[in-house]
Amino acid sequence: MPAPSTDPPNRPATPLGTPPAATNSTAPLGNSSRARRRATNVAIIVGTIFSASLAAAYVTPRMDGAAPGGSGNALSVTAFLASIAAAAGLCWRLRSTTALLVTAALACLPGLALPTDSLPALIAMASVIVWHPDVRAHVAISAAATLATFVAVWRDSRGTRDGTSFWNSIEHPDGSSGSWPAMPWWQVALITALLVGLFVGVALVRRSRRDASRAAAVAHHERAHAQQAQAQARQSDVRAQHAVRQADEARARAQQTQAQVHDLGRQMAEKDEREALAREVHDVLGHRLSLLSMQANALEIEAQEAGSRDVEDRARQIQEGAAGSMTDLRSLLAMLRTGATDASADHHDLADIADLVRECIDAGTPVSSNVFVDQSHPLDPVISRSAYRITTELLTNARKHAPGSLVQLDIRGDARGGITISTTNPLPDVARAARSDGSGTGLTGVARRAQDVGGSFWAGPSPDGRRFTASATLPWTMPRV
């Protein structure tokens, strides 16, 4: 007997007593599944033809008492054709669950009503067990197939002569002549149980394989879905990180713009303050220096008329100093208005130290200068102008606090050690120090100017308390920022 069919139905249908979600029992068929289904249907028909022919060969002698090999009567032909029809109907069993139940029920009828075998009923039972989702259908079709098998085996076992019973011929393989005793009912039940158990076992194995395959397919689908969800989550994380990065960049740009606006506002406020301060300085000092220059000019004219050569020279020096002060004032006002640290109009540098010393001596301050600068390597122009300004302030500070005293100026410099500027003057007595009108900010400005170019400054009395020394050290070139 051929094995039961294991092909899936082509279309889902809704069986009785099952929810719609459980109606589809198989996946769509591919080319290999269709070919396997056709081969199974052909095997069912061929097996049924062989089994029905064998049953008809034993039915005819048993029913009409003829010898073996005699011609079959109309009942055996009808039973043969009914078995073939039932087998042909099983070819449509997998169209749907409803078609499966109908063809299975029809396949059980020939074994119950006609003298034929029950192979179509057993195949139908196995197909229902494998493919139908409702357990009640399993029980009903299995009961009908079991009954049809029992009836077919019982009917065959009633043949008591050689060539009239398939199962008795197996029990008496020697082919002895005469009558055999009829097969008892328990043997019929045992044969029925063996046949039904064989087909049920094959069906259960096939169903478990189908369920395992379906579970594997579902697991594969779930893994693919999980991987897709993970990929989408990663993409969402990437998009979120990109959005956060864009937000951070936008926040940084906003902060930068805000800082620029704040800095621009501060610069505008500082510029307004410098403009106001420049106007105030110009109005006050410009007016005083102009009056000083006019008075010096008048004094020079009077000295010429009086023939006083010394007074005339002093007046000329005062007038030239006032003119130079006006020039310096314009340079400082330009620096104040533009906010630059260095003015292009200020051309005084270290080379003008000799003129500065001469002006101090002409103004009545004795200066002993010692200047040695090795310019084999070019000196930074900013450093040179700062050195001139620091020297000017140190000489002014000495002249202010110790007027008429000898000031010792020492300037030394080279590319390796930088420039050192120092002044030494006697400390004034307490009375003259008390009358000094200095504000105390001159040396502070010197220290600030030295620090601005990367240098240092020190000032203080000598150990014996009789002399005062101020010293500034500057680099040869401006430090890199």
Side-chain angles (χ1 to χ4, degrees):
M1 294 182 183
S5 171
T6 59
D7 293 321
N10 290 337
R11 296 186 304 271
T14 304
L16 295 176
T18 57
T23 56
N24 190 5
S25 59
T26 61
L29 292 175
N31 295 330
S32 60
S33 299
R34 292 189 180 93
R36 187 168 61 251
R37 183 189 62 184
R38 286 193 293 267
T40 302
N41 292 335
V42 171
I44 290 174
I45 294 176
V46 172
T48 302
I49 292 174
F50 175 76
S51 178
S53 300
L54 186 62
Y58 285 100
V59 166
T60 301
R62 186 174 67 246
M63 295 188 66
D64 56 12
S71 59
N73 55 19
L75 185 59
S76 64
V77 173
T78 301
F80 176 80
L81 294 178
S83 296
I84 299 303
L90 290 176
C91 295
W92 283 272
R93 71 195 183 283
L94 302 182
R95 295 287 180 176
S96 65
T97 53
T98 302
L100 179 60
L101 287 178
V102 172
T103 55
L106 294 177
C108 295
L109 294 179
L112 293 171
L114 297 174
T116 184
D117 69 311
S118 61
L119 179 61
L122 294 173
I123 295 175
M125 177 190 67
S127 297
V128 170
I129 292 175
V130 173
W131 297 113
H132 204 284
D134 194 353
V135 178
R136 293 175 296 178
H138 299 176
V139 175
I141 298 300
S142 297
T146 301
L147 181 59
T149 303
F150 183 85
V151 170
V153 174
W154 177 269
R155 187 185 296 116
D156 179 81
S157 66
R158 297 308 94 190
T160 57
R161 296 187 307 275
D162 186 22
T164 60
S165 174
F166 172 76
W167 297 107
N168 277 328
S169 64
I170 295 178
E171 186 178 2
H172 302 281
D174 54 352
S176 59
S177 59
S179 296
W180 303 322
M183 184 178 294
W185 67 269
W186 63 268
Q187 290 186 352
V188 175
L190 179 60
I191 294 173
T192 301
L194 290 176
L195 292 175
V196 173
L198 175 64
F199 278 82
V200 169
V202 173
L204 292 178
V205 171
R206 180 65 184 90
R207 185 181 180 90
S208 64
R209 291 176 59 189
R210 185 208 65 179
D211 292 342
S213 177
R214 183 175 297 176
V218 172
H220 176 73
H221 176 73
E222 290 179 352
R223 285 196 300 270
H225 182 71
Q227 292 175 356
Q228 183 179 5
Q230 291 177 356
Q232 292 177 352
R234 287 194 295 269
Q235 292 178 357
S236 299
D237 292 340
V238 171
R239 288 194 293 269
Q241 293 176 359
H242 182 66
V244 171
R245 187 163 52 251
Q246 287 182 340
D248 292 340
E249 292 176 355
R251 189 181 302 109
R253 288 194 297 269
Q255 293 176 353
Q256 183 180 4
T257 302
Q258 185 178 3
Q260 291 177 351
V261 171
H262 179 72
D263 186 64
L264 182 60
R266 181 182 57 79
Q267 291 179 1
M268 294 297 295
E270 291 177 355
K271 183 179 180 181
D272 293 339
E273 292 178 359
R274 289 194 301 268
E275 287 287 348
L277 182 60
R279 287 194 298 269
E280 187 70 17
V281 171
H282 180 271
D283 293 342
V284 176
L285 293 184
H287 175 67
R288 291 184 178 274
L289 290 176
S290 297
L291 291 178
L292 180 61
S293 179
M294 292 174 60
Q295 292 174 357
N297 189 22
L299 180 60
E300 182 182 3
I301 295 174
E302 292 178 358
Q304 289 177 355
E305 293 177 354
S308 179
R309 188 66 180 177
D310 294 337
V311 176
E312 181 181 356
D313 293 340
R314 292 291 184 181
R316 185 181 304 107
Q317 292 175 3
I318 295 173
Q319 185 178 7
E320 291 176 355
S325 298
M326 288 294 296
T327 302
D328 292 341
L329 179 61
R330 294 189 187 95
S331 175
L332 292 175
L333 292 177
M335 292 176 60
L336 188 60
R337 287 192 175 95
T338 60
T341 59
D342 183 43
S344 59
D346 183 13
H347 297 290
H348 296 295
D349 55 15
L350 202 59
D352 299 323
I353 293 296
D355 296 335
L356 179 62
V357 172
R358 188 179 304 109
E359 291 176 359
C360 290
I361 294 174
D362 293 340
T365 301
V367 178
S368 173
S369 61
N370 184 13
V371 180
F372 177 78
V373 178
D374 181 7
Q375 293 188 347
S376 58
H377 293 81
L379 179 63
D380 192 298
V382 177
I383 300 296
S384 181
R385 286 191 288 271
S386 297
Y388 178 84
R389 288 298 180 185
I390 289 174
T391 304
T392 302
E393 183 60 33
L394 292 181
L395 291 176
T396 302
N397 182 76
R399 183 174 63 250
K400 183 185 302 182
H401 293 284
S405 300
L406 177 64
V407 179
Q408 294 179 354
L409 173 65
D410 186 78
I411 301 177
R412 297 181 181 274
D414 55 36
R416 178 178 299 180
I419 299 178
T420 301
I421 305 170
S422 64
T423 58
T424 303
N425 58 274
L427 277 175
D429 56 19
V430 178
R432 285 188 298 173
R435 292 194 301 270
S436 175
D437 59 351
S439 61
T441 60
L443 297 182
T444 303
V446 173
R448 178 63 182 273
R449 185 181 292 273
Q451 292 174 0
D452 288 342
V453 295
S456 60
F457 175 75
W458 176 87
S462 62
D464 58 4
R466 301 178 60 183
R467 304 187 67 79
F468 185 86
T469 302
S471 177
T473 302
L474 307 180
W476 192 258
T477 57
M478 286 290 293
R480 295 181 179 179
V481 180

